[in-house]
Amino acid sequence: MTSNQTDCHYCLQSLRGRKYALREENAYCVTCYDSLFANPCEECKQPIECDSKDLAYKGRHWHEGCFKCAKCSRSLVEKPFAAKDELLLCTECYSDEYSSKCFHCQRTIMPGSRKMEFKGSSWHESCFVCQYCRQPLGTKPLITKDNENYCVPCFEKQFAHHCYSCKKVITSGGVTYHDQPWHKECFVCAGCKTQLFGQRFISKDEYPYCVDCFSKLYAKKCAACKKPITALGGTKFISFEERQWHGECFNCVKCSVSLVGQGFLTRQDDVLCHECGSA
């Protein structure tokens, strides 16, 4: 600006016919203004004079010609840039040095673009989609299979098994029995309905039974001790004329010697060794 009637507010010299600058409605000659108010440039440390363009970012100032990428020195005037450790970088240099790579497409996720984080990896928002329907997953529930992500409805359509008992989808875990999938909580004893996952059980007519229920309902009774013979865990038993014995119960009724693998005689409902039977 030029003036024909004002004096410099600081040095009081006439501003008639001279350039001056205004600050808070006070006029200053250029020399006084620069010495009093000019900001130092972050790059060259020289004052940014009133007739120079002052570029400011987060309280710091640069000459227009000094506002450059700290790595490649290209001008950042009217261009997107990023800051790292107080250094200004063009988006290309920042991406090369610091930006994440998308897990899906392996391209750089540029500064300022939206980034999704999942299982320690970064994704472009446009890449973080259901593998089947291609709809964005965002923060929706999802299921991962073979490193691919699926929304829950698509996963259930494509891969999920349905429980043999309740017919509902099995989303995780489960039990296979007779080549059929079951929820763990649905895999119960056909008799008492106790959960059988992780427990011993016995099959009968394609249904599972806990040991107690099977013994009560189906197991043969030992002719000697009258307890059920479950044959569980490889238990040996002896069968003779529609009667059964535990291996350890198949003894001579008189001398108690084991008859397993030995010849024996019968007398009514009793079994005897040859010596006792001949006496």
Side-chain angles (χ1 to χ4, degrees), residues 86-98:
E86 297 191 354
L87 297 177
L88 302 184
L89 299 165
C90 64
T91 53
E92 290 82 357
C93 289
Y94 183 89
S95 298
D96 290 343
E97 291 290 323
Y98 305 109

Side-chain angles (χ1 to χ4, degrees), residues 1 18 20 43 59 71 82 115 136 149 180 182 197 205 211 215 232 244 257 264:
M1 293 183 182
R18 298 170 60 191
Y20 70 95
E43 177 65 21
K71 186 175 180 184
K115 178 173 69 172
N149 300 319
Q180 297 291 347
W182 303 60
F197 179 71
D205 299 330
V211 175
S215 298
L232 191 66
Q244 289 80 29
V257 68
F264 62 91

